[in-house]
Amino acid sequence: MSVVAHAAGAELRPVPVRLAVAVLAGFGAAAVANFPMSALPEGEVPKEIALAAVWPDVPESVVPVAGHTVHYLAGILVAIGIELALVATAGLRGVELLVFGWVSVSRLAAGVGAAAFVTILFGAVVLPRVGPGRLADYAERAGSIRLQWTVSAAVYGLAVALLVPALYVLIPV
C-alpha cells in the first residue's frame, strides 16, 4: 500500500493532467534557467550549440528565435520525461517524504537526475560534436560553455521540481 504525502497531491491526479502540468512547469523552468544563462559570460552560446545540433545549417537570421524555441522545447520535453519517470516508479515508493512540507524527495531527485542527464548529454555528446564546427575558439571556450550549461541545468532541475507542486496549488486541476 502506498501512502501519499505530497503537499500538492500530484500523485492523486490522472496522468494526462500530470503531463499537462509538466508542460507548463517545463516551460516555466526553462524561463527561469534563462536568468543564469544570460548572466554568465557565454550568454546564448549554449542555446546556439543545442540549436546547431538539431538544425546544422540554420540561417543566422533565425538563430535567436530558433535558439529560444529549442531551449523551451527541451525544457518541456525534459519535464514530461520527469513526470513519466515519476508515474512509472510510483508503485516502488511506499511513502513520499517532503522537503519543507512542499515538494517530495522523489521529485527533487528526478529534477537532479534530469539536470545531470542533460548536462552529460550536452557536455559529452552535443558540444564536442557541434562546437568545433561552430566556434573558431572552441578549445578555449569549451570548459566555460560546459560550466554555464551545468549551472543553467541545475537551476532548471530545481525550478521544475518546485514549479510542479506550485502549479497544483495555483491551478485548480
Side-chain angles (χ1 to χ4, degrees), residues 82-124:
I82 290 170
E83 202 61 37
L84 289 174
L86 289 169
V87 167
T89 60
L92 303 175
R93 299 185 309 268
V95 174
E96 289 285 356
L97 301 175
L98 298 178
V99 176
F100 302 118
W102 179 254
V103 62
S104 67
V105 170
S106 58
R107 185 167 297 282
L108 285 172
V112 168
F117 171 76
V118 297
T119 297
I120 292 167
L121 178 68
F122 181 82

Side-chain angles (χ1 to χ4, degrees), residues 27-126:
F27 185 87
V32 170
N34 277 332
F35 291 109
M37 192 175 285
S38 62
L40 293 169
E42 292 296 340
E44 303 290 317
V45 171
K47 288 181 192 176
E48 293 170 9
I49 296 293
L51 170 63
V54 295
W55 191 2
D57 56 346
V58 62
E60 279 302 315
S61 62
V62 299
V63 166
V65 172
H68 287 293
T69 302
V70 167
H71 174 73
Y72 285 104
L73 184 59
I76 290 168
L77 292 175
V78 170
I80 290 171
I82 290 170
E83 202 61 37
L84 289 174
L86 289 169
V87 167
T89 60
L92 303 175
R93 299 185 309 268
V95 174
E96 289 285 356
L97 301 175
L98 298 178
V99 176
F100 302 118
W102 179 254
V103 62
S104 67
V105 170
S106 58
R107 185 167 297 282
L108 285 172
V112 168
F117 171 76
V118 297
T119 297
I120 292 167
L121 178 68
F122 181 82
V125 178
V126 175

